[in-house]
Amino acid sequence: MELQEQQFAANQKQWANQQAQLQEQLALQQKQQASSLKKLQDELQAFIKAKQQQQQQQQQQQQSGPSSALVLDTRLQQVQQTQADKKTLEASMEYGSKITELRREIDDLKAENQALASSSSASSSSSSSFVYGLMELLLILQPNLVINAIASPSFTLTPHFTNHPNSTLLFADISGYTSLAQSLGAAGAEGTEALSSALDQFFGIAISSIYHFGGDVVKFCGDAILCVFSPDRTVSPAQAAMQAVRCSLELKKKLRFFKAGEVELDLKQMLAHGTIVGNFVGDKTLNHFEFLITGQPIKQIADAENFVNPGDIILSPEMHSVVSDKVAV
């Protein structure tokens, strides 16, 4: 997570620098183009002013009535002026063409700037989406105990443990998995795919029920699943324990005699209560940590495994003491 955050921050800084450089380049180009446009406009205004002065002179000459001695000279001036007007007109047309071209270049630059800005924004959005995608994936793959621990200001990437008193563990073990694996494994790739599909359906129902009753999936242990029901500010230890009992009854109702191909699956469940210990073990230099559950409730489940049969729900003595007033055995 730390390396991902650092990479994201570096990417953000790089995009910001690129955006600043792009804006500086665009500002410089716009300044140069504005200067060129002003120069052309000044020349056009000078041409218009000269033309107006010429027209005024012609009007004055017509009003004063030029003498015959000046006719030839006047005509000569008119011819020369016509030639000059033609050159000026050609120049003005060239200037107009240049103005049109410059304006087109400005529009192209603006479009390019918008495209680059959108690309930068899309890259930033894509990276943000990638990071948020990783966060969502983290929420999906990790138990709430881990997510809450990471969100804590005191969390450190060093091996440590956290105590969770008055917690209830539910251990659900698939009965019939070995027969199912042998039966479908003989069918080759299609059998393997069918086995995966059957487990997806089975565990999908189990996980949905566990979360529905407020549980937290901690580990998949081969063909078994371990989950915890923890008290909080709104749920007392006894209420969390009863939710675990209700969940186990729901799992029994939905998953007993689950049909997977020609094999029928069943469920063995064990409930334990006490202080669980969440262990964060690993090595920061290797960027790998594991979350393990230990504590007395794990031993209670291990002891119960010696007595549980398919379809059974076994409560440890510690668990029974918490729910004895509501559960008859």
Side-chain angles (χ1 to χ4, degrees):
M1 288 293 294
E2 182 179 355
L3 290 176
Q4 291 171 353
E5 291 176 357
Q6 291 177 354
Q7 183 62 41
F8 178 65
N11 289 342
Q12 289 284 73
K13 184 176 180 180
Q14 181 180 0
W15 294 323
N17 291 337
Q18 291 176 349
Q19 186 68 14
Q21 292 176 359
L22 178 63
Q23 291 176 347
E24 290 178 0
Q25 293 176 358
L26 180 61
L28 178 61
Q29 291 172 341
Q30 289 178 338
K31 184 177 179 181
Q32 293 174 346
Q33 291 163 353
S35 177
S36 299
L37 283 173
K38 188 176 185 307
K39 181 179 179 180
L40 290 172
Q41 289 172 349
D42 291 343
E43 292 177 353
L44 285 173
Q45 288 177 355
F47 165 71
I48 293 172
K49 185 176 181 180
K51 189 67 175 177
Q52 291 174 344
Q53 290 176 351
Q54 177 190 351
Q55 291 174 350
Q56 290 175 356
Q57 291 175 357
Q58 291 175 350
Q59 290 175 355
Q60 291 174 358
Q61 290 176 358
Q62 290 174 357
Q63 292 174 357
S64 60
S67 62
S68 58
L70 297 176
V71 170
L72 182 60
D73 184 56
T74 301
R75 289 180 178 177
L76 179 60
Q77 289 180 356
Q78 289 177 347
V79 171
Q80 291 175 342
Q81 186 62 47
T82 300
Q83 293 176 345
D85 289 347
K86 182 179 179 181
K87 291 182 180 179
T88 304
L89 179 61
E90 291 175 351
S92 65
M93 292 176 63
E94 182 180 356
Y95 290 148
S97 177
K98 287 183 178 180
I99 290 175
T100 302
E101 183 178 353
L102 284 172
R103 285 176 177 171
R104 188 182 297 113
E105 289 180 2
I106 290 175
D107 291 338
D108 291 342
L109 285 171
K110 287 181 178 179
E112 183 180 354
N113 179 53
Q114 291 176 353
L116 289 173
S118 299
S119 175
S120 175
S121 176
S123 299
S124 176
S125 175
S126 176
S127 180
S128 298
S129 298
F130 174 72
V131 172
Y132 285 120
L134 288 178
M135 292 174 66
E136 291 178 359
L137 191 61
L138 177 66
L139 293 175
I140 293 172
L141 297 178
Q142 296 296 336
N144 292 334
L145 289 175
V146 174
I147 301 301
N148 293 336
I150 293 175
S152 172
S154 61
F155 181 79
T156 58
L157 280 176
T158 56
H160 63 281
F161 65 89
T162 55
N163 289 321
H164 304 273
N166 299 315
S167 296
T168 297
L169 285 185
L170 168 59
F171 186 77
D173 187 11
I174 299 178
S175 176
Y177 172 77
T178 302
S179 299
L180 177 65
Q182 291 175 348
S183 173
L184 295 178
E190 293 182 359
T192 302
E193 185 176 349
L195 175 62
S196 176
S197 177
L199 290 178
D200 284 345
Q201 294 179 33
F202 191 94
F203 280 125
I205 295 172
I207 293 170
S208 177
S209 297
I210 290 166
Y211 282 120
H212 174 73
F213 286 97
D216 183 19
V217 176
V218 176
K219 284 289 181 181
F220 286 92
C221 313
D223 57 350
I225 187 170
L226 177 66
C227 56
V228 60
F229 292 77
S230 302
D232 56 27
R233 289 175 296 179
T234 60
V235 179
S236 68
Q239 289 173 329
M242 276 306 304
Q243 286 295 88
V245 172
R246 294 187 183 98
C247 179
S248 64
L249 292 172
E250 182 76 7
L251 293 179
K252 181 176 179 177
K253 177 182 177 181
K254 290 184 175 180
L255 296 175
R256 279 216 77 186
F257 312 122
F258 182 86
K259 199 69 174 176
E262 298 179 356
V263 177
E264 202 171 64
L265 299 180
D266 210 331
L267 199 62
K268 298 183 291 186
Q269 300 183 79
M270 290 141 278
L271 290 163
H273 186 84
T275 298
I276 62 174
V277 182
N279 299 270
F280 292 86
V281 296
D283 189 342
K284 182 178 180 180
T285 59
L286 298 177
N287 292 322
H288 184 80
F289 274 79
E290 288 285 343
F291 179 73
L292 305 175
I293 290 290
T294 59
Q296 189 62 28
I298 295 293
K299 184 179 184 305
Q300 296 171 26
I301 287 176
D303 293 339
E305 278 194 291
N306 297 321
F307 307 99
V308 68
N309 294 309
D312 287 347
I313 300 174
I314 291 187
L315 280 65
S316 70
E318 292 82 357
M319 176 66 181
H320 181 256
S321 66
V322 179
V323 297
S324 57
D325 59 331
K326 294 183 176 64
V327 176
V329 293

